[in-house]
Amino acid sequence: MANKRFGLRAALAFAGVSAMALTACTGPSAQGGGQNTSGGNAGAPVVVGTTDKVTFLDPAGSYDNGSFMVMNQIYPFLMNTKPGATDPTPEPDIAESASFTTPTDYTVKLKPGLKWANGSALDSKDVKFTFDRQLKINDANGPAALLGNLASVSTPDATTVVFKLKTPNDQTFPQVLSSPAGPIVDDSVFPADKVLDDDAIIAGKSFAGPYTIDSYKKNELISFKKYDGYQGVLGAPKTANVTLKYYANSNNLKLDVQQGNIDVAWRSMTATDIDSLKKDSKVNVDIGPGGELRYIVFNFNTMPYGAKTSTPDPAKSLAVRQAMADSIDRAAIATQVYKGTYLPAYSWVPQGFTGAIEPLKTSYGDGQGGPDADKAKKTLADAGVQTPVTLDLQYNSDHYGPSSSDEYALVKTQLEKTGLFKVNLQSTEWVTYTKQRVLDAYPMYQLGWFPDYSDADNYLTPFFSANNFLKNHYANKDVQAKIEEQRSTTDKAARTKLIEDIQTAVAKDIPTLPLLQGAQVAVSGKNVTGVKDTLDPSFKFRLGVLAKS
């Protein structure tokens, strides 16, 4: 989540008509205490509510917004972005400097004398250990795919780290260092070859970000305490004590922020709740630039006519994906389910990012973004596909928001209305969902994406490169080559053209089907400051900027 190198002006404009970033969780009551020693109202801790979930606190074992939000408070990063920037650029965080010293060597110099909260030294060996273990563990639900261009890490001395890259002049690497692959972990606490459980992390006091965790009840309550040893670019937290309270029900989250029981509500409430809260004089509703994408993933092995089915046929499998793209009415989903708080998405790179085009809008349906059942029927007939095609479609409502049930019920209605499909919908709890989706359990299923950093590459590399996050068995060598090329292309116009070409090529294969794009939303009490500063295009929610006035 770092620099949108070529600007995010359009996304800032778009944010005014977009809304929620979605996910969901669990949770009971909040508590707080302590003095604010670094700004804001002394003695007034801040309580934040969320319906997000933590999968793992170990950066190697999770790649979701709920986990990363907590990581941003407790772990140090080599590169980071200052809150509130409209076009954030990554800069050294716990480092003194970071730059390319050769086309394939990215060298980072750490600040001297850094310490973990447990008292042990934080130096170059921790950094090398962090990235080596990410690649070694390569967890199916982890962010290792972001490190695809990393060849090796060396440490000439205690404060110097050299990242050797496979392809030169990687324009995204500083941003990768600020992404979910970038939290630095303590080599004296974390194992090198497996994910560490949350309780062991807490016990090891392996923190060196703006906050430490004072108490922890997973997906119920986290108490954060300011860490005086943090020397990074984010600065000292404005509030010394912050509590994160988890909710199982978004309606309870809405009621608590309205009644002043919590100070900030962040991720996520329904479109109806957001609309209602905008009219409530007791709260502020802040909307920031976003890049959230909601989409359907196709498993190339298990979807109809997939490679591991009893009737494998790549042409027929493609026809099914294309006919679905012809049949879905994104605008209807955006208006009927989300009341305009989301916009239709016709590509894998959301509008507002440099290089974004809309190949799905012109190539499928009526050519203007709407559905076309006759075109879908011809696509299937030309491929020799018998109809109706049975589709087993999985979705999740406890992670991607309470409106997911309505969203996918409407997708089912739209597909079946054509007479070409019979849709079997099924929902699974998130913890199980994350495991099963990478084990080929779901022929097609819902996912959402919240960007790691504000650059079009973050919608391409994790999805379509080799060893990608989706694990859906899609591989297009031409697309993979172009992804690698755009990362190392320093000329702005040439890189933009490559990003456009990648979207056009992927549109022919449809490994995933984008549906909607959205933005960031937070609701807060009138006496809370700093919310706007954390809803910036870095897409990182920082507790340290929040305070009560």
Side-chain angles (χ1 to χ4, degrees), residues 387-407:
T387 58
V389 180
T390 298
L391 306 177
D392 294 322
L393 179 57
Q394 203 85 9
Y395 73 95
N396 174 272
S397 61
D398 73 317
H399 186 76
Y400 292 116
S403 297
S404 289
S405 298
D406 294 333
E407 177 183 349

Side-chain angles (χ1 to χ4, degrees), residues 131-132 135 146-153 162-166 173:
F131 291 96
D132 286 350
L135 292 172
L146 292 172
L147 301 174
N149 195 30
L150 180 59
S152 63
V153 184
V162 180
F163 295 92
K164 176 71 69 174
L165 305 181
K166 297 173 185 175
F173 195 70

Side-chain angles (χ1 to χ4, degrees), residues 466-483:
N467 188 36
N468 64 69
F469 171 69
L470 297 178
K471 303 291 191 291
N472 66 334
H473 311 290
Y474 168 69
N476 182 318
K477 291 184 178 179
D478 180 59
V479 167
Q480 292 174 1
K482 281 186 168 61
I483 287 174

